Amino acid sequence: MAKTTSKANQSQGMLMFTLNLQQQLFAIGTLKVREIVPYMPTTQIPYSHHHVIGTVTIRGMTIPVIDMSAAIGFRPIQPEEYDNCYLIVTDCLRTIVAFMVRTIDKIIECNWRSIEPAPNTAGKNIFVTGITRFEEKIVQLLDVELLLSKIYPQYESANIPMLTDIERERLKALNILLVDDSSIARKQLSDALDGINIPYQICNNGDEALTLMQNQAATDKAIHLLVSDIEMPGLDGYELAFEVQNSPELKNIYCILHTSLSSEICVDRAHQVGAHEALEKFNAAELIDAMLRAAQKLEQEKASA
């Protein structure tokens, strides 16, 4: 069957902006963006994080404003520069925040498959999840989830559900693969399984995951359960689910897609490309419940085979 274009790519563009005086280009996916507004005066919050410069009220909602330049390690934007800045209001990790940036460049269509993962030599905990080029300029795609986790540390922890011995053994019987390009998301996923002593494998991107599943398909390490991010450079979660669903040796894999976007359309698209479920990121209880449903379904299929 001919390969289809990812449904994510049909609507997900890239918002480019600058953060420093050198006019380096940074970007985030447009599905995370609610709106863009000129800077407006903020109300300071006592004892807030030092990168949170205050709050603004937009459409009746009080929203914290984060100096994105300072948050990723650049020189903070100075108060006298604020009036020339813009606020990117985002909806990510079930949280609405506004990132203050120096300038808005443009929104462009993007071939997400062409985005290169950040090099391993760049170090750990960097805020860049991918790199691409536009009009001969390098564009760095920022890891919004990692950035938010540093400002709101509660995202580093999750409530790990208690399992019965039977439930734990059900999950232990599965070969589980986790896939996410965000380092903080990978940590959240792995912490959830480590907390209940469930083994797993983990990949940083969809291409690596597909190769691993194909290589292990005919072995005793064949993957039974795939848990993948949706928004990834290269082969995204929708495309990965489609490849799994339409591959004879992989089609029996139970596929759970997870996303940081608060949108029902992600669930619809996930089902269209063959995924069994779609979840929001970093809710350990929801993830484990979905995995238990997967285990039950796989057991039923095995019994009826």
Side-chain angles (χ1 to χ4, degrees):
M1 182 179 293
K3 186 177 182 297
T4 64
T5 301
S6 165
K7 295 182 180 295
N9 293 347
Q10 294 174 7
S11 59
Q12 168 104 313
M14 181 181 289
L15 171 62
M16 299 193 300
F17 50 88
T18 66
L19 296 175
N20 58 12
L21 297 175
Q22 286 70 42
Q23 299 295 302
Q24 288 177 259
L25 287 177
F26 295 89
I28 60 176
T30 54
L31 289 178
K32 292 183 173 73
V33 178
R34 288 172 64 104
E35 61 182 310
I36 303 167
V37 298
Y39 171 80
M40 57 185 67
T42 62
T43 301
Q44 291 189 328
I45 307 174
Y47 301 105
S48 60
H49 191 280
H50 56 284
H51 295 326
V52 177
I53 65 171
T55 64
V56 294
T57 300
I58 300 177
R59 307 187 192 286
M61 181 179 297
T62 301
I63 301 174
V65 177
I66 297 169
D67 180 347
M68 183 179 270
S69 180
I72 69 169
F74 286 162
R75 166 184 171 272
I77 299 175
Q78 301 304 300
E80 60 269 21
E81 301 173 302
Y82 288 176
D83 286 342
N84 296 320
C85 294
Y86 290 84
L87 304 181
I88 303 174
V89 182
T90 64
D91 185 350
C92 185
L93 295 176
R94 301 178 179 178
T95 302
I96 297 176
V97 302
F99 290 106
M100 183 172 66
V101 302
R102 287 187 179 275
T103 65
I104 299 295
D105 190 83
K106 59 176 65 71
I107 293 175
I108 62 170
E109 294 183 358
C110 178
N111 178 5
W112 289 80
R113 289 181 61 86
S114 69
I115 298 176
E116 305 167 8
N120 294 331
T121 51
K124 296 182 179 179
N125 294 323
I126 62 171
F127 295 106
V128 176
T129 188
I131 296 173
T132 188
R133 290 166 180 79
F134 178 74
E135 294 181 348
E136 299 184 356
K137 294 181 180 179
I138 292 176
V139 182
Q140 300 180 63
L141 185 66
L142 293 180
D143 187 339
V144 177
E145 291 91 341
L146 178 59
L147 196 157
L148 285 175
S149 76
K150 299 301 182 183
I151 296 174
Y152 302 109
Q154 66 265 30
Y155 292 128
E156 292 282 2
S157 62
N159 295 320
I160 306 300
M162 297 296 293
L163 295 185
T164 66
D165 290 340
I166 294 176
E167 290 173 332
R168 183 173 290 105
E169 290 307 311
R170 271 184 167 177
L171 292 183
K172 280 188 175 181
L174 302 179
N175 290 328
I176 299 170
L177 177 62
L178 310 178
V179 189
D180 204 300
D181 65 306
S182 168
S183 59
I184 187 63
R186 289 195 299 273
K187 184 177 187 302
Q188 291 281 358
L189 291 167
S190 58
D191 282 353
L193 296 192
D194 290 341
I196 53 176
N197 297 316
I198 301 300
Y200 57 87
Q201 297 181 74
I202 196 162
C203 289
N204 296 350
N205 57 71
D207 295 289
E208 179 184 338
L210 182 61
T211 298
L212 184 147
M213 287 186 288
Q214 291 170 336
N215 290 341
Q216 295 183 184
T219 72
D220 58 359
K221 293 182 180 180
I223 298 300
H224 303 118
L225 173 57
L226 169 67
V227 180
S228 174
D229 183 24
I230 290 178
E231 306 86 23
M232 295 186 294
L235 193 70
D236 67 26
Y238 293 122
E239 292 177 314
L240 183 60
F242 181 85
E243 293 288 353
V244 168
Q245 177 66 24
N246 289 276
S247 174
E249 70 271 22
L250 303 179
K251 66 180 181 180
N252 293 325
I253 294 175
Y254 194 98
C255 180
I256 300 172
L257 296 183
H258 62 88
T259 176
S260 59
L261 306 176
S262 302
S263 172
E264 292 181 359
I265 197 169
C266 293
V267 179
D268 295 337
R269 289 174 175 173
H271 291 312
Q272 289 172 15
V273 295
H276 297 83
E277 303 195 41
L279 305 172
E280 292 190 21
K281 283 183 180 175
F282 307 145
N283 188 313
E286 291 181 5
L287 174 62
I288 300 304
D289 285 344
M291 295 175 73
L292 287 169
R293 289 192 292 271
Q296 182 177 16
K297 184 175 186 299
L298 291 170
E299 287 174 4
Q300 291 172 346
E301 290 177 351
K302 184 177 180 180
S304 61

